[in-house]
Amino acid sequence: MAQAAAGPIGIAMDAAAGRARAASRKVRFVVIVAFVLIAGSFAAAAGLQMRLDRLHALSQAAHFSQRRAGEIAADLSATLDHYAALGAAFANASGADGTAALSEAGGPALRNIALLDDRGQVVSEMRSMPQGLLPLSASALAHANRAREVAPSSDGHTIALLFPQGARIVAVQLDAAAILPAAGMEDALIASPSGEVRAAGSQWQTIPTASALALGGNNGVTRLIVLPSGNRLTSLKPVAGWPLVAGASVAVGDALGAWYGALPLYLFLILGPSLAGAGLAVVFVKSFERRARAAQAARSLQPADPGEARLLIRLADAERRAAEAQRSKAEFIAHMSHELRTPLNAIIGFSEVIEQGVFGAAGHPKYVEYARDIGAAGRNLHTKVGDILDFADLEAGRHPLTLGPVDAAAVARQAVEEFAGKAFSRRIKLTIALPECAPAIADALALKRVLANLIANAVQFTPEGGAVRLQLRTEGDVVVLGVRDSGYGFEAWESANAGKAFATFKRPGAVTGAGLGLAIAMALAHRMGCALTIGGGSGEGAAAELRLPRA
């Protein structure tokens, strides 16, 4: 009978083990797919934002260069009109005095003025025979007989303004390099409508092709010009009254400088959640597989007696649960301390980088405000996580304490000093009544942590304008430290739960934490062999009393 009963039980156990192995494989597959989807979502979001930010930066640079090109074209038109007026005055002038006055009015940019006949031969000149200008090309000569023309010189350093004056042609020869500063800048250039460069600023290390600078009948155009010395975003505008095009440019690298500085933030947006998710997934899968192996080991026990089998299974399950509970505490502290605090430190650090503009301005005031909020939330969460891990340490008995003689009064002063600024900012009167010295038996760090938690709660839950008092007295062989505030106190049910883990009480105008401050204080006091009592009626303020053995 026993063997007959054992057969079906064994079959059922084998089937359960097979289902556990299949579930284990499915869990791994589901976790991997979920991780890939989450990481891909963050990468796609960051990639789209990077693209939008890059386009926005280039759009701003294009708008700036368009405005600059318009300003340069207007200035250049006025400058050339001025020199054309000087040329016309020379054509009508008589005598050396008038010529000297025109030469002085032209400044350093004016090289020469010549009067030509309709065939391009020199009739008269202001200084000397024009150098590098003649002979004029047939097309330039034909155009100059009808309207204004700008011709380059053979030496490449000057340009000539040509325009008809009666039956003659006036040629005003100008220094190309001297015109650009007056017209506007080192990133500017002057070209013909067909794209031939007439003059260029010093930032143009490579001259663009004519097709890149051709205006093509447009009133203005902005192009990305690819050059060996670096790509430039260039805006072109026609010069009013002259067959010329004025250009203003900005290096693409300069336009995208702020965008390049934000690349580490995009990488953090992608890698931060992905790495955190991968770590949590590994922890989850390992935990599941450990439980599956324990269940498999329990099911592998197949004694002949069904009752004994059930007993052994229950015993193995109880042993597994006890071992798992003990391991979970150690694993929680070991894994969560790193897996939670490390991403939080990164979030806080990068939010401060954005807020302070370490790599440049964020681009919008709201980004700075959001970064400040992220940093504050991260620090708040970091504090809560620290409290939880500290409490888990205490519960697991891993918080080492060294009891010995301690000056309780000195420790109390140190604890009060930490909260003096916060109390002052909330207009809370923080007073102490401490003797010069009060030797007690305790752990200095644990005693300071207990007092800090009690004072922090008192300052946090006392309304503005209230008072918090720390007092120390000696009663026989006991040193008594009391913290009292003028806050709301406790209801009867709150007094019964004060000091329990995760117990929180709502107070108007105050933000509650994780409910571990008093619990940690209670646990530390208990580990030191001290007594900590918390009370205070509703509306009478809260009162806490810590009793230490006197040294």
Side-chain angles (χ1 to χ4, degrees), residues 415-426 428 430 455 459:
V416 169
E417 288 174 358
E418 293 181 0
F419 294 92
K422 184 175 181 181
F424 178 78
S425 65
R426 300 192 65 234
I428 294 176
L430 182 58
I455 297 172
V459 172

Side-chain angles (χ1 to χ4, degrees), residues 154-201:
S154 59
D155 59 9
H157 299 297
T158 61
I159 60 175
L161 308 182
L162 306 174
F163 57 91
Q165 185 73 14
R168 304 286 190 235
I169 298 175
V170 178
V172 181
Q173 193 172 15
L174 301 174
D175 186 342
I179 292 177
L180 278 180
M185 326 318 140
E186 297 178 344
D187 63 348
L189 58 80
I190 305 171
S192 67
S194 59
E196 290 83 6
V197 175
R198 296 291 185 255

Side-chain angles (χ1 to χ4, degrees), residues 262-488:
L263 287 180
L265 301 181
Y266 294 121
L267 294 177
F268 171 73
L269 180 62
I270 298 173
L271 298 178
S274 300
L275 294 178
L280 293 176
V282 170
V283 173
F284 171 74
V285 171
K286 285 184 177 180
S287 175
F288 180 84
E289 290 181 345
R290 278 195 299 270
R291 294 183 180 182
R293 285 195 298 269
Q296 173 64 21
R299 295 187 184 96
S300 65
L301 298 174
Q302 299 181 13
D305 186 4
E308 183 181 353
R310 286 192 295 271
L311 209 59
L312 288 175
I313 290 173
R314 291 178 181 175
L315 180 61
D317 186 62
E319 184 178 359
R320 178 186 60 82
R321 290 176 182 272
E324 189 67 21
Q326 185 64 28
R327 282 196 303 269
S328 65
K329 288 184 179 180
E331 290 170 0
F332 177 85
I333 295 172
H335 290 293
M336 290 302 100
S337 177
H338 175 74
E339 299 294 339
L340 293 179
R341 281 176 168 168
T342 299
L344 281 175
N345 287 332
I347 291 172
I348 294 170
F350 280 111
S351 67
E352 291 176 351
V353 169
I354 300 174
E355 178 185 353
Q356 297 171 8
V358 175
F359 295 104
H364 196 284
K366 277 292 183 182
Y367 290 158
V368 178
E369 181 182 344
Y370 293 159
R372 188 181 301 113
D373 293 340
I374 292 171
R379 285 186 287 272
N380 186 22
L381 182 58
H382 193 281
T383 300
K384 291 181 179 179
V385 169
D387 288 342
I388 293 173
L389 296 177
D390 288 345
F391 183 75
D393 252 341
L394 290 170
E395 286 290 294
R398 292 184 178 86
H399 199 291
L401 297 181
T402 303
L403 300 181
V406 173
D407 185 358
V411 175
R413 290 189 186 92
Q414 295 175 5
V416 169
E417 288 174 358
E418 293 181 0
F419 294 92
K422 184 175 181 181
F424 178 78
S425 65
R426 300 192 65 234
R427 296 187 293 110
I428 294 176
K429 186 178 181 181
L430 182 58
T431 60
I432 58 175
L434 303 173
E436 187 68 25
C437 181
I441 300 298
D443 181 274
L445 294 178
L447 176 58
K448 184 178 179 181
R449 179 70 181 276
V450 172
L451 292 177
N453 286 5
L454 297 178
I455 297 172
N457 275 4
V459 172
Q460 182 177 0
F461 297 109
T462 298
E464 290 192 7
V468 175
R469 182 174 178 81
L470 174 64
Q471 184 175 6
L472 188 150
R473 67 180 186 275
T474 302
E475 295 180 357
D477 293 336
V478 177
V479 174
V480 182
L481 282 161
V483 179
R484 176 176 289 276
D485 61 58
S486 60
Y488 298 95

Side-chain angles (χ1 to χ4, degrees), residues 85-323:
L86 294 179
F90 171 79
N92 299 324
S94 62
D97 293 338
T99 301
L102 292 175
S103 177
E104 183 177 356
L110 181 60
R111 289 288 186 88
N112 203 355
I113 300 177
L115 197 60
L116 312 177
D117 59 17
D118 57 355
R119 293 176 299 171
Q121 300 299 318
V122 177
V123 176
S124 64
E125 69 280 343
M126 184 179 72
R127 294 178 178 172
S128 61
M129 285 296 293
Q131 299 296 322
L133 175 61
L134 300 177
L136 294 176
S137 64
S139 60
L141 184 61
H143 195 276
N145 276 299
R146 300 190 308 271
R148 289 179 170 182
E149 175 64 287
V150 179
S153 63
S154 59
D155 59 9
H157 299 297
T158 61
I159 60 175
L161 308 182
L162 306 174
F163 57 91
Q165 185 73 14
R168 304 286 190 235
I169 298 175
V170 178
V172 181
Q173 193 172 15
L174 301 174
D175 186 342
I179 292 177
L180 278 180
M185 326 318 140
E186 297 178 344
D187 63 348
L189 58 80
I190 305 171
S192 67
S194 59
E196 290 83 6
V197 175
R198 296 291 185 255
S202 60
Q203 289 188 6
W204 289 93
Q205 300 177 11
T206 305
I207 299 301
T209 61
S211 60
L213 299 177
L215 199 56
N218 296 316
N219 191 36
V221 67
T222 300
R223 296 189 181 113
L224 179 63
I225 299 179
V226 179
L227 299 172
S229 58
N231 299 342
R232 301 190 72 85
L233 194 65
T234 306
S235 294
L236 304 172
K237 289 283 186 180
V239 178
W242 295 92
L244 289 176
V245 173
S249 68
V250 60
V252 174
D254 295 339
L256 298 178
W259 182 77
Y260 289 137
L263 287 180
L265 301 181
Y266 294 121
L267 294 177
F268 171 73
L269 180 62
I270 298 173
L271 298 178
S274 300
L275 294 178
L280 293 176
V282 170
V283 173
F284 171 74
V285 171
K286 285 184 177 180
S287 175
F288 180 84
E289 290 181 345
R290 278 195 299 270
R291 294 183 180 182
R293 285 195 298 269
Q296 173 64 21
R299 295 187 184 96
S300 65
L301 298 174
Q302 299 181 13
D305 186 4
E308 183 181 353
R310 286 192 295 271
L311 209 59
L312 288 175
I313 290 173
R314 291 178 181 175
L315 180 61
D317 186 62
E319 184 178 359
R320 178 186 60 82
R321 290 176 182 272

